[in-house]
Amino acid sequence: MTDEGILLVVSGPSGAGKGTICNALRKLHPEICYSVSATTRAPRTGEIDGVSYFFTGEQKFREMIKADAFLEYAKVYDNYYGTPKKQVLDLVAQGHTVLLEIDIQGAMQVKSKYPQGIFVYIVPPSLAELSYRLYTRDTDSKEVIRRRLEKVTDELALAHQYDYIVVNDELPDAVDKVRAIMMAERCKLARNRERINTVFKKYICEEVHHHDD
Ligand code: 5GP
């Protein structure tokens, strides 16, 4: 038996910097398993199928919904995004830390299906900063950005459903905080029952051998 791993869900309004934080965390912790989502959105320059996302057509995405293949899925602006279920849950069951970087609707679905997950909400330091980031990122049209900013107030209201809040003011600090959350969660007693049993057994065996000598 191994202790169950951690499903670490990093979420927040778009432009809050969750993608950048997750990438930095994965560099520091190569043992983290990153869940590659499926999406109906077209690849952006530099994005690789199967690495950034699994780029699927709407038809395929619908088939996956029907087959109950998603842990969660949501329409984020004009495209569908979903987390493939089986691989994520298998990896967690095997004791791995699995990282999901998903939108707020999706995070709330994961919370209802897997409440023992760790839910981290990334907040931009201010609305003005968020707006600046979205415009300078230059990945979306003005219309998409306008809709994203309109949604932020509703999204902020959901922050109280999360376990942790991280304000992304200075990137290295925000990464440190998410890392600290992950490390503390890994050390929780409830997540280490099997490990403790193994260690204690080892101590007892060593003690017996010691007396035999
Ligand atoms: P982008 O198109 O910029 O890569 O992502 C748009 C938004 O979709 C981001 O907020 C991102 O976190 C979210 N997203 C990415 N993958 C998933 C997923 O599997 N499920 C959900 N619900 N949201 C996702």
Side-chain angles (χ1 to χ4, degrees):
M1 276 281 283
T2 37
D3 291 296
E4 196 161 276
I6 297 175
L7 185 60
L8 184 64
V9 182
V10 174
S11 187
S14 68
K18 51 190 190 294
T20 318
I21 292 173
C22 287
N23 288 341
L25 187 68
R26 288 167 63 198
K27 278 217 182 96
L28 290 169
H29 287 271
E31 82 285 2
I32 293 177
C33 305
Y34 181 72
S35 161
V36 178
S37 299
T39 183
T40 58
R41 143 163 110 55
R44 294 183 187 130
T45 323
E47 286 185 331
I48 301 165
D49 190 30
V51 178
S52 321
Y53 285 105
F54 293 108
F55 295 100
T56 56
E58 270 202 30
Q59 172 74 24
K60 174 88 200 296
F61 200 95
R62 284 214 185 91
E63 282 166 18
M64 288 178 79
I65 295 174
K66 263 202 193 140
D68 195 25
F70 289 122
L71 178 61
E72 61 76 34
Y73 70 92
K75 193 172 188 186
V76 186
Y77 307 99
D78 295 324
N79 299 293
Y80 284 95
Y81 296 82
T83 304
K85 178 161 67 179
K86 186 170 167 15
Q87 203 202 357
V88 166
L89 295 184
D90 284 354
L91 286 168
V92 174
Q94 288 159 19
H96 295 282
T97 300
V98 180
L99 177 64
L100 305 185
E101 186 243 299
I102 60 178
D103 94 308
I104 291 163
Q105 314 163 62
M108 293 298 95
Q109 291 174 43
V110 177
K111 194 175 154 89
S112 63
K113 286 197 192 148
Y114 191 83
Q116 62 273 51
I118 301 304
F119 296 84
V120 181
Y121 193 99
I122 309 292
V123 203
S126 69
L127 202 56
E129 174 64 22
L130 179 67
S131 168
Y132 173 79
R133 283 183 196 170
L134 286 175
Y135 280 107
T136 50
R137 187 161 75 169
D138 205 26
T139 47
D140 301 296
S141 67
K142 286 210 167 72
E143 172 57 20
V144 170
I145 294 175
R146 195 184 55 74
R147 279 193 281 155
R148 288 191 177 195
L149 288 171
E150 264 175 20
K151 243 179 100 180
V152 167
T153 328
D154 294 340
E155 290 181 331
L156 288 176
L158 286 169
H160 65 269
Q161 309 247 15
Y162 285 70
D163 301 305
Y164 296 96
I165 302 288
V166 171
V167 179
N168 183 15
D169 202 340
E170 295 294 329
L171 181 69
D173 289 350
V175 176
D176 267 0
K177 285 175 189 165
V178 178
R179 182 164 182 258
I181 292 165
M182 180 182 80
M183 298 305 247
E185 288 292 339
R186 282 183 178 172
C187 295
K188 276 219 164 135
L189 182 65
R191 296 190 192 282
N192 289 280
R193 305 257 183 232
E194 292 302 324
R195 211 161 286 129
I196 287 169
N197 283 342
T198 318
V199 173
F200 281 177
K201 268 185 213 141
K202 216 174 120 217
Y203 278 179
I204 292 163
C205 290
E206 278 171 9
E207 183 76 353
V208 170
H209 288 311
H210 185 71
H211 284 298
D212 287 350
D213 289 345

